[in-house]
Amino acid sequence: MIVDLHNHTVLCNHAEGTIDEYILKAIEKNTKYFGFSEHAPMDFDPKYRVSFEQMKQYEDSVLEAKEKYKNKIEILLGYEVDYLQGHMDDRVLNSDVDYLIGSVHFIDEWGFDNPEFIGRYEHEDIDEIWQKYFNAIEDMAKSKLFDIVGHIDLIKVFKFLPKRDILDIAKNALLAIKESDMVLEINMAGFRKPIGEPYPSIDILKEAYRLDIPITFSSDAHSPEQVSLYSQEIVDIAKKIGYKQCAIFRHRKREMISF
Ligand SMILES: [Zn+2]
Ligand SMILES: [Zn+2]
């Protein structure tokens, strides 16, 4: 997979492996542009992310690796930022990085993708939480704070699927993404979860293609073995739908790469 922009490091406290191990795996998989996008610091849910104090350490270690491997692969620096009202921080939003991924991991402060809190699905109206989730994605796009939409349909992770048509639930979010000129990632982490398919689903991706929304590719690796683990699958899906290019970012400027 030529481009892989969403990967974590040990600094988020729920990933393993060294930065070198991730990069060596990416080189082995013929990746040309490999990005780290650590869970950005936030005053909410601090346990699962880098701390504000560690930001410099994170950025410096990625930049050191960028220099070290520059003849083999281009390393890019980013953050995966939680779109969560009242908890986004200028130190992250104004950081000197190549790109920011905007992700929604919380509905009303419920960490819906965390297996620790899976019990709550039983007490929720699934159609309603899907709509709330996509409303948050729409707001995130309209904020224009981010470059890439992280795992756009993460709400499907545990396979609690809505009765309503998913495209109907997601349509305003997709229009907002188009309007904000954001990039959609095809994220293979879904293959490692109960849902067993990438984010987004084929239907959402087809609609994104129809709307001319650009894509990029992501392992969302939390260990070196996960780098490019299902890359063939997601590249094949993108090609089949008609995509021929994917995005990278340098200092928040987009460039399209043929794949
Ligand atoms: Zn994570
Ligand atoms: Zn995420």
Side-chain angles (χ1 to χ4, degrees), residues 6 8 39 80 103-105 113 150-151 154 185 187 220 222:
H6 182 160
H8 295 277
H39 292 284
E80 180 182 15
S103 293
V104 174
H105 298 109
D113 74 324
H151 39 61
L154 179 63
E185 66 168 4
N187 179 316
D220 201 349
H222 287 70

Side-chain angles (χ1 to χ4, degrees), residues 28-222:
E28 182 192 319
K29 298 286 187 174
N30 290 319
T31 298
K32 300 289 175 237
Y33 305 89
F34 186 80
F36 288 95
S37 58
E38 191 52 289
H39 292 284
M42 168 164 83
D43 65 0
F44 181 78
D45 190 45
K47 184 167 115 186
Y48 291 103
R49 58 201 61 255
V50 61
S51 66
F52 285 104
E53 293 71 31
Q54 288 169 318
M55 280 178 81
K56 191 171 168 6
Q57 182 194 340
Y58 164 66
E59 293 173 19
D60 286 351
S61 43
V62 172
L63 293 174
E64 274 164 34
K66 182 188 185 80
E67 183 60 23
K68 179 173 171 185
Y69 291 100
K70 68 180 177 195
N71 296 325
K72 294 202 171 83
I73 190 168
E74 183 169 345
I75 302 300
L76 299 168
L77 172 64
Y79 280 106
E80 180 182 15
V81 185
D82 278 82
Y83 181 75
L84 189 60
Q85 282 302 347
H87 298 285
M88 285 170 287
D89 194 289
D90 283 345
R91 285 169 282 181
V92 171
L93 298 175
N94 299 329
S95 59
D96 183 16
V97 292
D98 292 309
Y99 56 91
L100 295 176
I101 299 175
S103 293
V104 174
H105 298 109
F106 299 95
I107 299 172
D108 300 334
E109 304 198 345
W110 165 37
F112 65 86
D113 74 324
N114 186 334
E116 270 181 63
F117 310 120
I118 193 170
R120 183 156 159 189
Y121 281 93
E122 274 177 48
H123 310 288
E124 296 286 346
D125 177 326
I126 302 300
D127 281 16
E128 207 172 288
I129 57 169
W130 271 66
Q131 191 61 67
K132 269 192 186 177
Y133 170 82
F134 276 100
N135 290 348
I137 295 281
E138 180 184 349
D139 292 345
M140 187 263 288
K142 285 180 174 166
S143 77
K144 297 194 186 332
L145 293 169
F146 310 104
D147 306 293
I148 300 170
V149 184
H151 39 61
I152 184 176
D153 55 354
L154 179 63
I155 186 71
K156 72 184 178 187
V157 58
F158 296 122
K159 235 176 160 174
F160 293 100
L161 302 176
K163 291 192 276 305
R164 273 182 63 203
D165 178 46
I166 289 173
L167 276 187
D168 190 49
I169 295 172
K171 69 172 184 256
N172 288 340
L174 284 165
L175 291 172
I177 290 163
K178 172 65 187 166
E179 180 69 29
S180 304
D181 198 26
M182 289 179 82
V183 167
L184 206 58
E185 66 168 4
I186 307 184
N187 179 316
M188 65 180 85
F191 280 116
R192 312 191 302 256
K193 300 289 164 64
I195 188 67
E197 63 174 39
Y199 312 107
S201 64
I202 305 280
D203 285 351
I204 291 178
L205 200 56
K206 280 184 177 162
E207 184 61 7
Y209 182 74
R210 199 183 66 81
L211 291 170
D212 201 22
I213 295 171
I215 53 158
T216 192
F217 294 113
S218 294
S219 290
D220 201 349
H222 287 70

